[in-house]
Amino acid sequence: MEANGKGPQSFPELKNDTFLRAAWGEETDYTPVWCMRQAGRYLPEFRKTRAAQDFFSTCRSPEACCELTLQPLRRFPLDAAIIFSDILVVPQALGMEVTMIPGKGPTFPEPLREERDLERLRDPAAVASELGYVFQAITLTRQQLAGRVPLIGFAGAPWTLMTYMIEGGSSSTMAQAKRWLYQRPQASHQLLRILTDALVPYLIGQVVAGAQALQLFESHAGHLGPQLFNMFALPYIRDVAKRVKAGLQEAGLAPVPMIIFAKDGHFALEELAQSGYEVIGLDWTVAPKKARELVGKTVTLQGNLDPCALYASEEEISQLVQQMLDDFGPQRYIANLGHGLYPDMDPEHVGAFVNAVHRYSRLLRKN
């Protein structure tokens, strides 16, 4: 039995807990695998469902999110599902307008420009109630999964959300957001605290709703060097983990494994390994053996095939997967890509990746 706001709720019994066991550092019979952006435009069935709709209205429909989350699992023997949503629902819930413009991506018509713009933001304590549709999607999906695999919930980390709110969209330099760090350090910390205060109840709410693991995406870690990262990203990454775990305990809920994925954050692997997360996601620029040396043996690693490797032949994908599994070793490891799937990828090649992980990791354990 698990709690949610409406009293105790029971979910179907989990049949495949390999992903969760690997996340907790327990032994597994094979290496579990899932893909970032596994619910996405590379699937023809995804393009059929969402093509005529606005992206964020899809995010607000629990039924649509459930369907999109389940699509890749109908095709591939993945070991985890990740709820279909977006990291920018949090700035929306804080009162900022965000639109998804085809070919351009997310756009904030009125980004934060001045310190006083922080006054426009809603009370972070109200964010979780604004995001009830995400919780509904998680509960519905958890029921529909019928215990096939665990369901992962997620959010963007404070620094990454801050960049969008100030830049007004994606940026190759993050110069406006970084200008804040140098010119307005106090206001930057104020904004990062607001975001942290919004994220904690949001992530706890996802677990209450049925999420069995949580991933925090620090997608823009690479725009910071070690110093700025240690000042403006790491303390909030740590705080999120600490407060979510304490909140789950207070609510009488079992702990869930937490994953931190700091893209291009190779300079912070040692610090991230001690930041309170069970799993560290790696992008494809990090050598697995080197990462293992840096993080030690007490955390699980997740990653990190170059997504573009899926453009290779199925035979070559199989060889690349073997090399990756040899380098990571059989335990304390979850196979994934080093970033999300791209829209023009061939679903057959995604299947080849998943199958190669399962096949070769079983062989590795026999020998």
Side-chain angles (χ1 to χ4, degrees), residues 264-282:
D264 300 321
H266 49 85
F267 52 81
L269 285 178
E270 285 172 277
E271 289 80 2
L272 289 167
Q274 287 152 28
S275 62
Y277 292 76
E278 283 71 31
V279 184
I280 296 183
L282 302 175

Side-chain angles (χ1 to χ4, degrees), residues 59-255:
C59 289
R60 283 189 285 275
S61 159
E63 292 74 21
C65 292
C66 175
E67 167 58 24
L68 295 173
T69 302
L70 295 175
Q71 282 179 350
L73 293 155
R74 294 188 191 120
R75 271 189 189 249
F76 315 117
L78 294 153
D79 293 290
I82 182 165
I83 193 68
F84 179 82
S85 185
D86 195 84
I87 65 171
L88 298 180
V89 297
V90 170
Q92 275 182 335
L94 284 166
M96 293 189 80
E97 190 191 340
V98 193
T99 54
M100 193 62 81
I101 297 176
K104 186 184 173 194
T107 304
F108 289 69
E110 292 183 49
L112 304 175
R113 286 280 170 253
E114 306 291 330
E115 210 162 318
R116 64 170 180 268
D117 290 343
L118 296 181
E119 291 160 27
R120 292 189 347 227
L121 299 176
R122 281 195 196 121
D123 176 2
V127 162
S129 56
E130 291 284 323
L131 294 172
Y133 59 86
V134 179
F135 304 148
Q136 287 167 3
I138 287 172
T139 301
L140 180 63
T141 306
R142 177 83 187 269
Q143 296 285 8
Q144 297 284 319
L145 271 169
R148 191 190 314 184
V149 293
L151 179 61
I152 304 169
F154 72 90
W159 157 249
T160 292
L161 295 177
M162 173 180 170
T163 62
Y164 282 107
M165 292 161 79
I166 291 172
E167 298 287 342
S170 25
S171 150
S172 58
T173 60
M174 300 296 162
Q176 293 309 312
K178 287 176 75 175
R179 174 193 289 238
W180 271 57
L181 303 184
Y182 284 110
Q183 290 186 351
R184 305 181 178 132
Q186 276 174 301
S188 297
H189 281 300
Q190 189 189 341
L191 174 54
L192 291 161
R193 276 196 298 273
I194 290 169
L195 286 163
T196 304
D197 289 346
L199 286 169
V200 170
Y202 177 48
L203 287 165
I204 292 169
Q206 290 188 43
V207 177
V208 171
Q212 291 152 289
L214 296 169
Q215 176 154 314
L216 197 67
F217 284 87
E218 188 70 281
S219 309
H220 297 162
H223 290 277
L224 303 174
Q227 273 178 303
L228 287 179
F229 187 85
N230 287 342
M231 281 170 72
F232 294 102
L234 189 63
Y236 300 99
I237 287 171
R238 273 200 198 116
D239 205 32
V240 166
K242 192 170 113 191
R243 287 169 59 188
V244 166
K245 288 177 178 201
L248 291 175
Q249 200 173 0
E250 273 167 47
L253 289 163

Side-chain angles (χ1 to χ4, degrees), residues 9-29:
Q9 168 170 318
S10 62
F11 288 114
E13 197 181 341
L14 186 59
K15 302 182 188 91
N16 173 1
D17 64 351
T18 312
F19 161 79
L20 293 178
R21 290 216 317 276
W24 288 118
E26 295 166 20
E27 293 224 350
T28 59
D29 302 335

